[in-house]
Amino acid sequence: MRSARRTEAAPDHAEVQRRWRALVDERLPAAARPDWPVRLNHCFARILLDNACGGPWRASVAPPAWANMPPARLAEALALGEAVLAGRADLAELNRRSLAWRGHPRGIPAPRALREGDLLLRRRRHEDDAPFAALNADPEVMRFFPAVKSRRESVAEARALDGRFAQDGFGPWALEASGAFVGFVGCWRPLRPLPVAGDAGLVEIGWRLARGAWGRGLATRGARLALADAFGRCRLPEVVAYTAVLNTPSRRVMERLGMVQAGDFAHPALPEGHPLRPHVLYRLRAADLGGGA
């Protein structure tokens, strides 16, 4: 059940570079409002590039970024900038993430772990990389994604997900059952703007479990524990979840959590006609969580 990767034809790199320079050097500075946290072109570039990379962009790309950033990643940063201009993404929130990744966190400090009986939610460890890569390489686990992930992609995703704790004080927890790593579950802010109402302030909850952990209620139990922390310690008023319409197992977990279907949308990372493009959105308010957590 997670955000899908871009599968459409790669955009023309030279054109993306041209649009990027125009965006950060001209259009964003010209559109800067009094309530925006930055006004200068290099600040806009820092914010958008960091958010597209899931951390400080210089950690993975040699400067100058506009010339050396992989085309798809630069296109992702460009899309974020267009969303800021259109009012569909919150520049202040994007800036807060960037500063947190760069050692200026302002989120609520997170505990190292949450426990319920034999179920443990904890922060990521390096030894989780191998089992996480294995579940991401399992076609059954990834059947509602466009493709399985390589080990390199899995490690990069795990690091980016764990970085959410520094930026917000909450994020995806590694999920252990009876002492064994079985996946992850938790809350985070979507990086990609979504075509749904209230997009700028969304916090989503999601999970991904290894096949051997299915059918034991672990996703529901782990999600309830994560929600109790998000609504309690972090004071979040609401979370959402979304997945492909075809993903019946995840939709059942959402419904068991008390989430309410709140519409549907076409996932912007997937092309027209792709069977996973139709997505469904669920919402849950803190006031409606009930006693399950």
Side-chain angles (χ1 to χ4, degrees), residues 57-286:
W57 64 266
R58 286 176 181 265
S60 56
V61 178
W66 68 268
N68 295 318
M69 185 76 69
R73 189 64 57 82
L74 187 61
E76 187 80 12
L78 180 64
L80 279 174
E82 295 291 353
V84 168
L85 286 173
R88 294 184 287 105
D90 185 344
L91 184 66
E93 175 58 32
L94 296 174
N95 182 52
R96 189 167 71 84
R97 294 179 188 176
S98 171
L99 293 176
W101 283 321
R102 289 167 177 260
H104 304 281
R106 295 190 297 173
I108 304 168
R112 294 302 302 176
L114 307 171
R115 181 182 290 277
E116 181 203 67
D118 64 342
L119 194 71
L120 179 70
L121 304 187
R122 58 162 175 80
R123 297 289 297 275
R124 168 186 172 270
R125 301 172 185 157
H126 289 298
E127 55 264 35
D128 299 331
D129 288 350
F132 185 56
L135 74 87
N136 283 334
D138 185 337
E140 281 299 304
V141 173
M142 304 296 285
R143 67 193 186 280
F144 297 111
F145 289 75
V148 298
K149 295 178 182 287
S150 69
R151 179 183 174 87
R152 182 177 180 180
E153 290 171 322
S154 292
V155 171
E157 180 185 27
R159 290 174 180 168
L161 289 173
D162 189 62
R164 307 299 181 87
F165 285 96
Q167 90 188 34
D168 290 317
F170 57 86
W173 303 91
L175 176 61
E176 276 191 16
S178 301
F181 173 88
V182 296
F184 74 80
V185 60
C187 299
W188 60 89
R189 300 182 191 276
L191 285 180
R192 176 186 293 277
L194 297 173
V196 298
D199 163 79
L202 289 181
V203 174
E204 65 170 297
I205 184 166
W207 45 85
R208 193 182 308 156
L209 274 63
R211 200 188 321 187
W214 295 356
R216 297 158 55 187
L218 297 178
T220 304
R221 289 178 60 198
R224 284 178 176 155
L225 195 55
L227 284 170
D229 179 66
F231 288 150
R233 177 181 61 87
C234 300
R235 306 290 184 184
L236 296 181
E238 180 186 65
V239 299
V240 302
Y242 57 91
T243 190
V245 171
L246 298 176
N247 191 352
T248 302
S250 277
R251 296 182 64 178
R252 286 175 180 160
V253 173
M254 296 171 195
E255 290 162 3
R256 283 195 289 269
L257 294 172
M259 305 192 84
V260 177
Q261 188 171 338
D264 50 40
F265 64 96
H267 200 290
L270 291 169
E272 291 284 350
H274 195 289
L276 299 180
R277 182 173 168 86
H279 268 54
V280 62
L281 178 77
Y282 286 77
R283 295 184 184 270
L284 178 65
R285 298 184 304 166

